[in-house]
Amino acid sequence: MSSCHATPEQAQALASAMPEATQQTLATYAADYPKGPHDQPQSMCPAFGALRVGLRMKRTATILSGSACCVYGLTFTSHFYGARRSVGYVPFNSESLVTGKLFEDIREAVHAQADPDKLDALVVINLCVPSASGVPLQLLPKAIRGVRIIGVDVPGFGVPTHAEAKDVLAGAMLKYARAEAETGPVSAPRGWREQGLDSAKTVSLLGELFPADPMVIGMLLAPLGLKVGPTVPTREWRELYAALDCTVAAAIHPFYTASVRELQAAGRPVVASAPVGAEGTAAWLRAVGEAAEVPTAQVEAAIAGIVPAIRGALARSPINAKVTVSGYEGSELLVARLLIESGATVPYVGTACPRTPWSEPDRLWLEARGVEIQYRASLEQDLAAVERHRPNLAIGTTPLVQACKERAIPSLYFTNLISARPLMGPAGAGSLAQVVNGAIANQVRFDTMREFFGETGKGDRAGIWSETPILRPEFRAETKRQVIKIMKRRKAEEMV
């Protein structure tokens, strides 16, 4: 059996033995989500991203197929994030996996759960072991009693991050919805006609955004005669139709490759970047205006009306510090842009997501200001950047934050403390200043604690001691000598 912890050699051998349909799926993932220097994710299980998309949708249920330990971890995480919804699970053993009984059990569970009075869609997610074994979710019925059946493989050895796993399911849903819309009339989202959106030119947004951001973007678009459409991943099935029926799609988060493909197949232009900061907002409005064929004079008038307010907000909340940024949400480059326009020096940005056309404007803008950008960044690269630049503040993942605090460097967890704030337009300007400046002000507390505790709790002094530890370097030297001796003997045996 394989997992997301398989070695590259094991993964390659496993892939060659997989059924053809599974190999095709993995080939698609390899093209959509190219891997970096690491073959396994360094963040949470990627399947959490796809699970999260389904759990946030109304009238949508999810069934997981995978090892019990994996399912436990995923369902625990889902409840931790407040889903308050049960997750289905189809257990298996070696016999049911090998004989094909697992697929029959999944099909039986799908038929049992497909209740049209409760559900619009039923999502089935293969985790590592069923994916590697080729459990054929594509053979499930497309619909049962009117309930759509969406089966996807989300193995840790095929999808590099949980962020991109969101796109796996969102893209599959858009593909299904596009096929429905091409065959006949479909239902509009609730309140769509009442708000006049059925006759409006709309801009669909790609990415899980802070709740206030779509409203702010709507305000920015109003002078252009445009309105905000649905945000993908959507909150209900019918919003998928409206997302596909937009005038322009905006890849706010740049890793939604499969979703972009479906929108482009529907004939919709896609624009990159986001309305972040003064320069970012002006550039984004020009790109949207051009894609939506809005007269240039109208676009420039809108920019002239909003950019001074953004510059004013930035000036009122300055950040005078050196900050490194890293994370796995996909919005790291946008945050770096906002920090720089707020006055901060940002020498390094690391993102676990890949380089795509939809982050190119941000990359070019940042690199023109001397920022080092690392796509598919590893924890080791992020830590090396902190050591290299010694910032006043490090923004990053949980292990990076932990390492920085051990070094007495103020740090903030990107997902909970940075992503959970507005970034767009006037609302985003200055939104980071309070939390960033507050964290930097804690440097005095870090210095005081380090001075008080010294080296207590580090290295040989870690743990709880009843007496003062006595260091015995000779013991460590002897152990090292023995290890070297064993390694030499093993190498000699390999050469025989």
Side-chain angles (χ1 to χ4, degrees), residues 443-457:
Q443 182 66 65
V444 175
R445 296 173 61 189
F446 277 111
D447 294 340
T448 301
M449 287 190 290
R450 168 167 275 190
E451 182 180 354
F452 178 80
F453 289 105
E455 297 299 313
T456 301

Side-chain angles (χ1 to χ4, degrees), residues 78-99:
S78 71
H79 289 295
F80 174 78
Y81 273 82
R84 297 182 181 179
R85 191 183 302 178
S86 296
V87 177
Y89 169 45
V90 180
F92 67 91
N93 54 32
S94 297
E95 181 180 354
S96 65
L97 185 68
V98 172
T99 61

